[in-house]
C-alpha cells in the first residue's frame, strides 16, 4: 500500500516537473529559469526544433514578403529571435533587400544566431534585451514579428503592447498564438487575441492555421506613415536607461552621446543592452 502511494507520488511529481520544465519551458518558475533553460539548450536548439529551411521560407518568409509587395526592403524587428530562424529565412530569399534586427533575452541563443547567419552580418543586427522593454522609439519598424514566444514572456499582454508600440502606423505585425495547450493566463482564444489586437491599434487582423501547437496571426497597425526601410543602427537604437540615441564608439562600445553610460558589443557582434556600465 505504502509502496503504491509512494510510487504514485513519484509519478505525479515527475509529470509536474516535466510540465513545468519541459512543456511550459519553465515559464511558471520565473524569468531566470526560462533564460537558464534557453541558455542551456542553445547549442542543441536547432537539432531539437529541427527547423526545415524550405518550410521556413515557404511558410514564413515568402508570405511575409508577399504581404509587403511590391516593396522588398523593409526594416524588420524579430522579437525573441532565438537562433534567428526568421532572419535566416528572409535572408535566403533573393527578393529580400531589407534589414533585420533580432532581439532576445538569451545571450547564448543570440551567439548561436550570429554563427548561423554569419554571411549576412551586414543585413542583420543582434541585440540582447528583454521583449518587454524594446530599445526603440514608437513606430520604428515596417514589420515586427514574434514567433512562438509571447507565452514565455513575463507578461504576454504587456509584451504584445510593447511590440506593437515600435511598429509604424500601417506596418505589418506577425505573431503566433499557442493552441491545444493549457497555459493559464498566457494564451488566448482566437476571439480574445483579435480583441486584444484591436485594443492595441491593430484594426485589421486574421488568424491562419500553421502548426499543431500554433496559429499565425497577421495584423496591420491603424493609420498610415512613410515606409522606413534599411537604416543605420544608430538612427533607430535608443538607450533603455535614458532614451537617448546610441552611437558607436571607437573602443567597441555603444553609448548615448556625451554620456558616461555605455554598453558592450560582444566579440560575436551582439549589442549587450542588459548590463549598463559607466566610465
Amino acid at each position: 500500500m505504502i509502496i503504491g502511494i509512494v510510487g504514485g507520488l513519484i509519478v505525479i511529481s515527475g509529470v509536474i516537473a516535466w510540465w513545468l520544465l519541459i512543456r511550459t519551458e519553465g515559464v511558471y518558475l520565473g524569468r531566470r529559469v526560462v533564460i537558464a533553460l534557453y541558455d542551456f539548450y542553445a547549442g542543441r536548439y536547432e537539432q531539437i526544433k529541427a527547423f526545415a529551411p524550405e518550410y521556413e521560407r515557404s511558410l514564413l518568409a515568402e508570405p511575409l514578403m508577399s504581404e509587403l509587395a511590391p516593396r522588398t526592403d523593409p526594416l524588420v524587428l524579430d522579437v525573441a529571435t532565438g537562433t534567428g530562424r526568421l532572419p535566416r529565412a528572409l535572408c535566403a530569399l533573393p527578393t529580400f533587400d531589407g534589414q533585420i534586427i533580432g532581439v532576445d533575452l538569451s545571450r547564448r541563443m543570440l551567439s548561436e544566431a550570429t554563427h548561423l547567419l554569419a554571411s549576412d552580418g551586414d543585413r542583420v543586427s543582434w541585440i540582447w534585451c528583454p521583449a518587454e522593454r524594446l530599445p526603440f522609439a514608437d513606430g520604428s519598424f515596417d514589420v515586427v514579428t514574434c514567433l512562438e514566444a509571447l507565452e514565455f514572456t513575463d507578461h504576454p499582454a504587456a509584451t504584445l503592447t510593447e511590440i506593437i508600440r515600435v511598429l509604424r502606423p500601417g506596418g505589418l505585425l506577425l505573431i503566433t498564438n499557442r493552441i491545444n495547450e493549457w497555459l493559464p493566463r498566457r494564451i488566448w482564444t482566437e476571439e480574445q487575441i483579435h480583441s486584444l489586437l484591436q485594443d492595441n491599434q491593430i484594426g485589421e487582423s486574421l488568424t491562419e492555421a500553421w502548426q499543431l501547437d500554433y496559429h499565425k496571426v497577421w495584423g496591420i497597425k491603424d493609420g498610415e506613415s512613410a515606409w522606413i526601410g534599411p537604416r543605420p543602427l544608430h538612427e533607430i537604437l535608443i538607450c533603455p536607461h535614458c532614451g537617448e540615441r546610441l552611437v558607436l564608439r571607437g573602443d567597441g562600445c555603444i553609448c548615448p552621446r556625451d554620456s558616461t553610460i555605455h554598453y558592450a558589443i560582444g566579440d560575436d557582434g551582439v549589442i549587450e543592452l542588459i548590463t549598463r556600465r559607466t566610465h
Side-chain angles (χ1 to χ4, degrees):
M1 178 71 174
I2 295 178
I3 294 176
I5 292 174
V6 172
L9 290 174
I10 291 174
V11 171
I12 292 172
S13 298
V15 170
I16 293 173
W18 171 84
W19 187 78
L20 286 172
L21 288 172
I22 307 300
R23 190 60 184 173
T24 65
E25 302 183 23
V27 70
Y28 292 104
L29 300 176
R31 170 180 281 186
R32 289 185 179 180
V33 174
V34 175
I35 297 170
L37 285 172
Y38 278 111
D39 280 344
F40 180 77
Y41 285 108
R44 290 172 284 170
Y45 189 75
E46 289 290 313
Q47 293 176 315
I48 293 170
K49 299 295 284 188
F51 296 129
E54 61 272 22
Y55 292 132
E56 300 295 282
R57 287 194 300 270
S58 63
L59 298 179
L60 288 176
E62 289 175 357
L64 190 154
M65 294 306 295
S66 178
E67 290 291 327
L68 300 176
R71 299 302 300 248
T72 62
D73 60 341
L75 181 58
V76 181
L77 175 67
D78 187 33
V79 178
T81 191
T83 53
R85 64 186 295 196
L86 184 65
R88 293 203 309 274
L90 285 171
C91 287
L93 294 181
T95 55
F96 179 72
D97 299 313
Q99 177 186 350
I100 312 163
I101 297 175
V103 304
D104 204 278
L105 200 51
S106 167
R107 183 61 178 84
R108 291 186 180 178
M109 293 284 274
L110 288 173
S111 184
E112 288 293 319
T114 66
H115 295 310
L116 292 168
L117 202 55
S119 61
D120 279 287
D122 58 333
R123 291 197 289 175
V124 185
S125 302
W126 310 101
I127 301 175
W128 186 26
C129 69
E132 297 90 346
R133 190 180 180 190
L134 297 169
F136 310 104
D138 296 355
S140 292
F141 294 89
D142 298 305
V143 179
V144 177
T145 63
C146 184
L147 304 177
E148 300 183 30
L150 277 174
E151 67 271 28
F152 301 122
T153 62
D154 275 359
H155 304 286
T159 301
L160 181 61
T161 298
E162 175 69 352
I163 68 176
I164 294 172
R165 177 187 69 80
V166 300
L167 179 66
R168 70 171 178 83
L172 177 67
L173 177 73
L174 171 59
I175 62 173
T176 55
N177 189 39
R178 194 152 180 164
I179 58 174
N180 301 326
E181 185 65 86
W182 185 65
L183 289 173
R185 303 187 309 277
R186 295 194 164 274
I187 59 176
W188 305 284
T189 65
E190 186 171 339
E191 180 178 309
Q192 287 172 333
I193 187 66
H194 289 299
S195 176
L196 187 59
L197 288 171
Q198 285 186 338
D199 291 342
N200 284 277
Q201 304 177 59
I202 302 295
E204 297 180 44
S205 61
L206 63 89
T207 299
E208 177 185 357
W210 183 34
Q211 298 179 2
L212 179 64
D213 291 332
Y214 286 97
H215 282 159
K216 287 189 290 187
V217 183
W218 300 86
I220 301 293
K221 189 170 181 179
D222 291 339
E224 297 181 4
S225 61
W227 186 264
I228 298 170
R231 290 284 189 276
L233 200 57
H234 69 266
E235 290 187 6
I236 53 177
L237 189 60
I238 62 175
C239 175
H241 175 67
C242 67
E244 297 295 324
R245 296 287 183 189
L246 291 174
V247 296
L248 182 65
R249 293 192 337 195
D251 58 359
C253 292
I254 193 165
C255 63
R257 192 180 302 276
D258 301 324
S259 173
T260 59
I261 298 171
H262 70 277
Y263 303 91
I265 300 176
D267 292 338
D268 53 7
V270 174
I271 298 172
E272 301 176 341
L273 295 188
I274 292 295
T275 305
R276 184 175 76 247
R277 307 174 185 178
T278 57
H279 62 90

